[in-house]
Amino acid sequence: MKFDDVMQMVGNTPHVLVRSPEAEPANIYVKLEGYNPTGSIKDRACLYMIRGKIKEGTLQRGMTLLDASSGNMACSIAFFGKLLGYSTLVVANSKLTADKRKFIEYYGAELQVIGDFTIDGNRYCQERVQREEPGRFCFLDQLHNWANPQAHYETTGPEILTDSPDVAMVVGSLGSGGAMAGTARFLKEKRPATKVVAVQSASGTKLPGTGSFDDGDYITPFIQQSMDNHLFDHIIKISEPDAVRRTIQLKEQGIFCGLQTGGVLHAALTAIEQFSVKGDVVILSGDTGWKNMDRLLCL
Ligand SMILES: Cc1ncc(COP(=O)(O)O)c(C=O)c1O
């Protein structure tokens, strides 16, 4: 495989079979988004949002990229900002892992940590944009930017159908909701028989990339629209002990990923049993273990 630049390496992530007798007669394939350049699914939406802003003329030379994130989008912005020659200010929250913080520093982004939810940082970004002189910041606003779900409508969804043309069910977590909203819209258009399961955190559970909407995480317009249009067949809430147990199960098979993936695997197994699912099930693993070592070492 040959590429002219690193941006061409976003997407086309591998799917690998998870050995799990509990899943039979379904086969669970994990789509390893950790194989993106910064090790997470957020590279897809980040590139789409930056390209969208360039295209509409709202991102110009000398401007600073700005957004709020639980950590992975912040890494993507720091990375692609550096590659494309923009300075970056990212606003993370208490879900930020030490490894992501180091990555953001290594890529030279300015970092602020505010609150417990991405929406806290998003509000701070909105205030900053108003306070500073016009044209200083380009606010990507992943929670409201429709280029975010569009990235997944155009890439993640098609990749799943290419690798599993008869996919019975797709399972992934809701952070901003971009990944599942875009993927679900694509699948419901092209293969309506595919069931879509959206995963969230149970109250009191703090997992990166898996919103806890009962505790105050923000329901973005993409999540709301997907629910209004019945694109999610089921919504499953997961707890931290289940996410931990499944992350260890994946680790033992050489599938090295963050706790979000363990949570999604648990939700997939729950749905397979509850709804008697057969055939290929694809689960979205949001990031690599390397970005979560401080949490993984405590398991
Ligand atoms: C590890 C991980 N998985 C999944 C997601 C969910 O992605 P989205 O924001 O598109 O819902 C995120 C988002 O932060 C994430 O960090």
Side-chain angles (χ1 to χ4, degrees):
M1 241 183 283
K2 257 182 166 177
F3 299 98
D4 294 332
D5 80 57
V6 165
M7 281 178 280
Q8 294 172 355
M9 292 165 62
V10 174
N12 288 313
T13 50
H15 294 201
V16 65
L17 185 67
V18 178
R19 286 194 309 276
S20 178
E22 288 164 83
E24 281 167 18
N27 305 306
I28 300 182
Y29 286 88
V30 56
K31 184 165 178 60
L32 293 169
E33 290 295 304
Y35 280 67
N36 281 300
T38 79
S40 96
I41 193 165
K42 303 302 290 197
D43 285 352
R44 296 178 188 259
C46 183
L47 257 193
Y48 264 65
M49 292 195 298
I50 292 176
R51 287 181 174 147
K53 295 283 184 194
I54 292 173
K55 209 166 155 198
E56 70 189 25
T58 47
L59 173 56
Q60 280 148 17
R61 290 276 138 230
M63 291 176 90
T64 297
L65 294 173
L66 170 73
D67 208 354
S69 152
S70 66
N72 276 327
M73 179 61 89
C75 294
S76 300
I77 297 171
F79 181 82
F80 290 112
K82 173 71 84 192
L83 257 61
L84 295 167
Y86 299 101
S87 51
T88 48
L89 167 59
V90 290
V91 184
N93 54 60
S94 57
K95 287 179 187 151
L96 182 70
T97 65
D99 303 297
K100 290 173 193 166
R101 178 189 282 270
K102 286 181 199 150
F103 183 97
I104 291 164
E105 273 173 31
Y106 184 57
Y107 267 91
E110 192 188 331
L111 169 70
Q112 299 217 10
V113 179
I114 293 176
D116 291 329
F117 304 108
T118 304
I119 190 64
D120 299 331
N122 182 283
R123 291 194 184 111
Y124 172 83
C125 292
Q126 289 178 32
E127 282 162 25
R128 271 303 287 269
V129 169
Q130 277 164 14
R131 225 188 311 144
E132 307 277 339
E133 72 273 18
R136 162 141 195 232
F137 288 116
C138 173
F139 179 25
L140 295 176
D141 197 1
Q142 63 155 327
L143 300 186
H144 304 101
N145 187 332
W146 290 87
N148 172 5
Q150 190 64 20
H152 299 280
Y153 178 84
E154 290 181 19
T155 69
T156 315
E159 289 169 27
I160 291 173
L161 267 200
T162 301
D163 285 349
S164 297
D166 299 322
V167 62
M169 186 166 79
V170 173
V171 188
S173 66
L174 299 174
S176 69
M180 290 310 287
T183 302
R185 183 161 69 84
F186 178 83
L187 290 170
K188 293 297 178 187
E189 278 174 25
K190 306 290 177 206
R191 194 178 184 285
T194 304
K195 298 286 177 221
V196 177
V197 178
V199 181
Q200 46 176 273
S201 289
S203 180
T205 299
K206 263 193 176 189
L207 295 172
T210 315
S212 176
F213 301 100
D214 297 331
D215 294 336
D217 263 314
Y218 175 65
I219 298 181
T220 63
F222 339 125
I223 296 177
Q224 191 59 54
Q225 189 193 60
S226 306
M227 295 201 290
D228 292 346
N229 293 339
H230 309 288
L231 298 185
F232 303 147
D233 296 280
H234 310 289
I235 295 196
I236 292 185
K237 292 183 190 175
I238 43 141
S239 69
E240 186 159 335
D242 286 329
V244 166
R245 184 160 59 93
R246 299 302 183 181
T247 305
I248 292 169
Q249 189 180 332
L250 288 164
K251 166 192 167 190
E252 281 155 12
Q253 299 183 26
I255 297 169
F256 177 51
C257 48
L259 282 172
Q260 174 268 356
T261 313
V264 171
L265 172 59
H266 187 76
L269 288 165
T270 307
I272 288 168
E273 196 194 344
Q274 216 169 322
F275 309 112
S276 307
V277 180
K278 301 179 183 69
D280 283 359
V281 171
V282 173
I283 66 171
L284 292 182
S285 165
D287 65 2
T288 169
W290 287 119
K291 298 183 89 175
N292 299 279
M293 285 311 291
D294 46 328
R295 287 202 70 183
L296 296 179
L297 279 173
C298 303
L299 302 187

